[in-house]
Amino acid sequence: MNARAASFDQPTADTAGDDLAEGFSRHLVQWAEQAGASADSLPVLAAAARLSSLATQAGHVCARLDELTPAFPDQCAGELRRRLLASGMVSQASQPDVLPLVIDDGDRLYLYRYFSYERRLAASLQARVGHVGAAPSDELRRQLDRLFAANAQSPGDRPDWQKLAAALAWRGRLTIISGGPGTGKTTTVVALLACLLAENPRLRIALAAPTGKAAARMLEALRQRASTLPAALQALLPQQSHTLHRLLGVTPAAGHFRHHAENPLPIDALIVDEASMLDLALACRLFAAVPPAARVILLGDKDQLAAVEAGAVFAELSADPTLSPACVDQLASLTSTPAPQIRPPQPITPTPLHDCVVWFSDSHRFAATSGIGRLAAEINAGRGAEACAWLASGGDPSLDWLANGSTDLAPLLRQTILDGYRPYFQALARTHQDPATQRREVFAAFDRFRVLCAVRESTRGVLAINQMVGRQLQQLATGSHAAAPRSPWYPGRPVIVLRNDYVLKLFNGDIGICLPDESGELLVWFPEQAGAFRAIAPIRLPEHDSALAMTVHKSQGSEFVSVLLLLPEQSNRVLTRELLYTGVTRASQKLAIVASREVLIDACANPTRRHSGLIARIGELEGQAPEQRSS
């Protein structure tokens, strides 16, 4: 799906999407006519079908009935609803038949497939809420005290939310931990796993993330944080991580996996990092494949961009960090924390997922007063003018602002981009007797700096930057300033995979670099776990693109020492608060933003809104027996 569609407030689509929506609408009207639908229901049905199709293409799970009223100004919502139901093509959510469209009591209008995803995911989630483990042992309390002893040195009477989150995940089957970069999510998971494995050394644990890059970073971070654990516990920790598709087990049938409700994953605990990238369909299939008694811990950042496909699952699930009095009492006992100190923040939106959600707000990577940390906070709060004032002050060496809104790339900006890649160019020029050592150095240098763009097209988009920097790389590789050779393959060309290839085990978002092997043949090398690399011939690669510059969407799950964030010359719907925040927080030490003041302020004032009824579906299941939930 087009990345720009992921942040639209109102459903829109490109030409192909319009054609798809129109075709669906015509087909549904013909079907209704053949079934004997009344004539007055057909225009409303046609509009509803088109609207629902466009909504999913724009990242929404559903459309809103009131979005039809401009086309039918003489009809109230109740009359529109009556005509839709009279068409015979729309069912009610309370008694859903297998019909193309569904409408619920909140006047949400769904394609049946997405309503089914939402209802099934809600049932999987609701089945996990409220399950509390056995009574904690004194050894567990001592273990938590030991693991979080360093945090106890912090001054003040604020509770240790990392310790509380680990205890919360120990007691329940569903835990959702939201926090920005450096807030301690990985540290918390290491401590939780240490507690679980100390109790049961045979516990089966799976680590997963939506992309290969995120999965590899998760495993690396876990190993680093686990270095202080006893050697016996370190040996029990998972030794590999998976993309979600690999974990579920892909099959030749599109959209189907080897593991599902009838053939669940052989695990006792699942940790999913970068869960903000989960779309509704994948989340539905993932939870269906996890055994009912297994723990699920979702890690992510509720303020980041949502998935490119339909749904903003993590943001919805993490919206309410409410803890019940009984839960607070148990957490207080488990963590030696005075109960009055355990005061979670107010929810963004009330949900039934009490005792499941924790927000981390204290970043160990970005101090609240640091350049990147303070900028991220201003963006999250929608304070665009304040963010610009902080950038303009020049008060922090980690931040640069090029207040440039021209359509052309100024010479200074071009040079800034090339200077950012200079260490990468130098790593490519160095020679080593050991090719594996050189590959590691090249990848490390490449991961230090990245240009991130909001869009693909235009002079300030991914395609233009890839072309400009790629031309420089080709000239360095050939030692000539003549016209670039016809072959697109040259030493140092980085590529990003755009389509899953299950045979080659390459997945959307994987990044490789074109380098010669020992015989001089150019191959594309992809990093494997434990520092190894795998080579693929360029001709065998699935759909791909150069990756010297990336969209902010594609950068999720990545971290770079330095980032240049290049925004379009004018405001548009792609530029949302979440996109800006995500781009800013990909940098760990240095950030340069290229954007006009107007564009930055508009982006801060444009939060993403996605239509969904997932929380309503979970609420509908409260109090129902398990057999009713799955019906």
Side-chain angles (χ1 to χ4, degrees), residues 435-471:
T437 299
Q438 183 171 21
R439 289 174 201 127
R440 284 193 292 271
E441 289 188 3
V442 165
F443 270 88
F446 181 62
D447 280 341
R448 289 186 62 82
F449 172 78
R450 198 62 44 87
V451 177
L452 302 182
C453 305
V455 296
R456 284 180 52 79
E457 309 290 341
S458 91
T459 56
R460 297 163 72 107
V462 166
L463 298 180
I465 303 302
N466 275 329
Q467 185 178 43
M468 181 193 76
V469 184
R471 189 180 304 116

Side-chain angles (χ1 to χ4, degrees), residues 288-469:
V290 177
R295 286 180 174 86
V296 178
I297 297 96
L298 302 181
L299 311 174
D301 186 344
K302 60 181 173 56
D303 299 314
Q304 273 192 203
L305 281 166
V308 174
E309 302 298 334
V313 173
F314 187 81
E316 291 181 89
L317 299 185
S318 59
D320 188 350
T322 300
L323 301 175
S324 67
C327 180
V328 167
D329 288 343
Q330 188 174 33
L331 293 179
S333 174
L334 264 172
T335 61
S336 305
T337 304
Q341 289 186 13
I342 305 176
R343 297 188 300 272
Q346 290 297 309
I348 299 170
T349 303
T351 79
L353 301 179
H354 293 178
D355 302 339
C356 295
V357 180
V358 176
W359 295 350
F360 289 171
S361 56
D362 295 330
S363 176
H364 303 281
R365 182 187 305 170
F366 308 132
T369 55
S370 74
I372 298 174
R374 177 168 169 179
L375 180 62
E378 299 286 15
I379 292 168
N380 261 345
R383 296 190 292 261
E386 290 84 347
C388 288
W390 174 236
L391 285 168
S393 72
D396 194 291
S398 67
L399 286 178
D400 285 327
W401 182 25
L402 285 71
N404 182 304
S406 66
T407 55
D408 296 325
L409 292 181
L412 175 61
L413 175 55
R414 291 173 180 268
Q415 192 58 51
T416 300
I417 292 172
L418 293 176
D419 287 346
Y421 282 113
R422 195 72 57 196
Y424 178 56
F425 298 162
Q426 293 168 351
L428 288 168
R430 285 193 291 270
T431 58
H432 288 267
Q433 291 184 342
D434 178 18
T437 299
Q438 183 171 21
R439 289 174 201 127
R440 284 193 292 271
E441 289 188 3
V442 165
F443 270 88
F446 181 62
D447 280 341
R448 289 186 62 82
F449 172 78
R450 198 62 44 87
V451 177
L452 302 182
C453 305
V455 296
R456 284 180 52 79
E457 309 290 341
S458 91
T459 56
R460 297 163 72 107
V462 166
L463 298 180
I465 303 302
N466 275 329
Q467 185 178 43
M468 181 193 76
V469 184

Side-chain angles (χ1 to χ4, degrees), residues 544-593:
H544 57 273
D545 199 358
S546 294
L548 289 157
M550 302 168 64
T551 62
V552 175
H553 273 91
K554 290 290 186 183
S555 75
Q556 286 185 254
S558 298
E559 175 190 315
F560 311 102
V561 174
S562 179
V563 163
L564 187 145
L565 180 59
L566 181 58
L567 301 183
E569 59 273 16
Q570 293 182 341
S571 298
N572 59 53
R573 289 179 172 180
V574 174
L575 292 174
T576 63
R577 183 182 302 169
E578 290 79 8
L579 182 141
L580 187 56
Y581 169 82
T582 302
V584 163
T585 55
R586 296 313 89 199
S588 62
Q589 296 181 21
K590 181 74 174 177
L591 172 72
I593 295 183

Side-chain angles (χ1 to χ4, degrees), residues 590-623:
K590 181 74 174 177
L591 172 72
I593 295 183
V594 184
S596 68
R597 185 177 189 275
E598 178 186 13
V599 164
L600 284 174
I601 289 177
D602 286 352
C604 288
N606 183 28
T608 299
R609 295 182 179 90
R610 284 195 171 179
H611 308 325
S612 165
L614 179 59
I615 299 305
R617 301 285 87 77
I618 298 172
E620 290 166 359
L621 295 170
E622 283 190 294

